[in-house]
Amino acid sequence: MPRDAPPNGGAPPEPVREDSFGRVSGIQTKLHCWAAADAGRRFDDLFNLVHDPATLIVAFERVAGNTGARTAGSDGLTVARIEREIGVSAFLDGIRSAVKDGSFRPQPVRERKIPKPGGSGKVRKLGIPTVADRVVQAALKLVLEPIFEADFEPVSFGFRPNRRAHDAIADIHLFGSRGYRWVLDADIEACFDTIDHAALLGRVRDRVKDKRVLALVKAFLKAGVLTELGEQRDTPAGTPQGGILSPLLANIALSVLDEYLHREWKPGGRMSTDNRRHRRRDQGQATWRLVRYADDFVVMVFGTRDHVEVLREDVAAVLAPLGLRLSPSKTRIVHMADGFDFLGFHIRWRRKMGTRDQWHVYTFIGDRPVRSLKDKIRALTRRLSQQDLGETLIRINQITRDWANYFRHAVAKHTFDRLAYFIWWRIVRWVKAKRRWRWKDVHRWLRTPTGWRTIAVDGIELHNIASTPVTRYRRRGRIPTPWPRANHA
């Protein structure tokens, strides 16, 4: 497809979509390679890439593939309604024209409050942009992400391509096993709500020279919020959670922390080699390692508690210019022998059972995720619920499979067994009450001469969470980006 040719009427045929993905992938690879080759390069003329027809097609596919595609923004439009009433091509033509001529204006995001996990009674504010805004945000991300990924440090893992929470846990496991056992378990208070716009845009300008792209990013930051009561509120700070671009912008802002704490690990730094780290520790100085996942992070220290106290003050000073501060209630200093929770896992340095002097770092499932899963099962199997058993089994299977797949790399076998027992009994008691059965009816339903059969209805079987294989997650060394570092003229 020619660069300036708009998609023609009707849905784009499959070859055009494939060409669009290939074109965007090639552009991203070039941008990433250029950024990696020159750390001081500032990119101009990115605006044309943002409203390129291929970029918008790929951006729409990303938006339509998200579960949030069924949720409408402040204009009431969903992806399905756009496809049915407007047509994808006409919709993207309108976006492209508005972005290209400068008339595009982001709409206020629709605010929705959801309870935070753990039963604390607190709520998390999510922003739901319009579909048009999501598409433009996705287009911006397609262009900006390869550039900034060249600068991001290897110590951050949240909302980055080819990285996941298990990589962060593997890093903690590795360094905890090597003596980094004092931990600054930190949390940034209301990070997404309080990031200073000027400081964030300043960091974006370090790499982006195109004023039209900068103006578009700023417009999304200043778009405002439409509250649940229908009131419009300005957004003088922060990036609304729920926006496609928000995680990337948060990582751009928080990379200042990564750079500060990781700089001594770079070639020539005071912690860049084993010998230099040993020498520091012999001199009574500490060595440390940052592991960050979005706004949650830990600083692991090979040293003393006093060293961690000093680092906490340093971290607070680094975050202050961004308008951020550490949460007093969630930030604490712990020793790994006491354990701490991170990303749903409980990590602890403890003696191996059956031995006297063998100590290891173990990763268990945290108490909060277990309580949360049980609460979801209880909600689906309330005694007075008249929900269809087959539909309930499908939903329970979806929840337990996803949950177990996330935690299967922990010391989880015993927890899986207990949860399987809990889920089985919840369903049996619910069915017994729903059908007004006695226990002999339950036995007739599930009991066989050789034991209990699997709960099933209409060919739908209850997934046994205890059958999930528990495997060790192997730490990956250098995690590759999606864009190969080839030579591009």
Side-chain angles (χ1 to χ4, degrees), residues 153-220:
E153 303 291 350
V155 295
S156 69
F157 300 92
F159 305 110
R160 294 182 58 188
N162 287 352
R163 290 169 176 260
R164 56 184 74 96
H166 301 98
D167 293 315
I169 299 299
D171 259 28
I172 293 174
H173 191 280
L174 173 69
F175 288 96
S177 301
R178 293 184 176 180
Y180 293 72
R181 299 198 182 104
W182 279 105
V183 178
L184 173 62
D185 180 14
D187 181 87
I188 302 173
E189 189 168 29
C191 176
F192 284 86
D193 298 329
T194 56
I195 292 177
D196 183 80
H197 288 172
L200 170 57
L201 288 170
R203 292 192 65 80
V204 176
R205 286 191 189 95
D206 289 341
R207 274 301 200 171
V208 178
K209 189 177 180 182
D210 194 322
K211 292 183 179 180
R212 296 166 297 177
V213 172
L214 293 169
L216 201 52
V217 172
K218 184 176 181 179
F220 279 113

